[in-house]
Amino acid sequence: MLTIASRLDVMNRLGRAMADPTRSRILLLLLQGPRYPGDLARELGLSRSNVSNHLACLRDCGIIVVEHQGRKTRYEIVDAHLSRALNTLVETTLAVDEEAPCVDPKCTVAGCCEGQAAQQ
């Protein structure tokens, strides 16, 4: 049984994982199926070391697992329950006021503050 403390830990781990746009992009690809780090790097247009650092974070958060296949490693979402939850989350419609100013002037999330930058 999950306690309040462990539920809070789950929320914190998920929040940390999804707070970074690169980790979110990796998770979206992993929702489609297991991937190798080199494939993720190529699909995302990033260096393999950058992707590996993000994969380590996701693994440390308990969100993905690694399967060793000889000299290769393959990553996937830890279980089907989490995959279903993440799919439900990304299908959620958010009520976003596009006219509201971004609360973070250093925001780098694609699509978040682009309209605001054009107005300034």
Side-chain angles (χ1 to χ4, degrees):
M1 181 170 103
L2 286 174
T3 64
I4 295 296
S6 63
R7 287 178 183 213
L8 180 60
D9 184 51
V10 168
M11 295 294 288
N12 288 336
R13 287 171 182 264
L14 287 171
R16 178 175 179 226
M18 293 184 296
D20 182 90
T22 299
R23 287 193 293 270
S24 291
R25 292 171 61 205
I26 290 171
L27 284 172
L28 287 172
L29 288 173
L30 291 176
L31 282 173
Q32 298 171 12
R35 296 280 203 294
Y36 297 98
D39 295 338
L40 287 167
R42 190 171 40 262
E43 290 179 69
L44 297 171
L46 300 170
S47 71
R48 186 162 175 174
S49 63
N50 184 310
V51 169
S52 291
N53 287 336
H54 287 290
L55 288 169
C57 177
L58 292 169
R59 188 185 62 237
D60 292 346
C61 285
I63 294 170
I64 64 171
V65 291
V66 61
E67 180 183 328
H68 297 282
Q69 300 176 325
R71 293 171 34 122
K72 294 180 98 177
T73 55
R74 187 179 78 167
Y75 290 84
E76 60 186 286
I77 304 289
V78 71
D79 73 6
H81 296 290
L82 182 56
S83 291
R84 280 193 300 279
L86 290 172
N87 275 314
T88 299
L89 181 63
V90 298
E91 292 171 1
T92 301
T93 302
L94 299 177
V96 177
D97 181 358
E98 293 180 3
E99 301 298 319
C102 186
V103 296
D104 182 0
K106 298 177 185 172
C107 179
T108 60
V109 176
C112 179
C113 302
E114 291 167 353
Q116 180 181 346
Q119 295 172 359
Q120 295 177 351

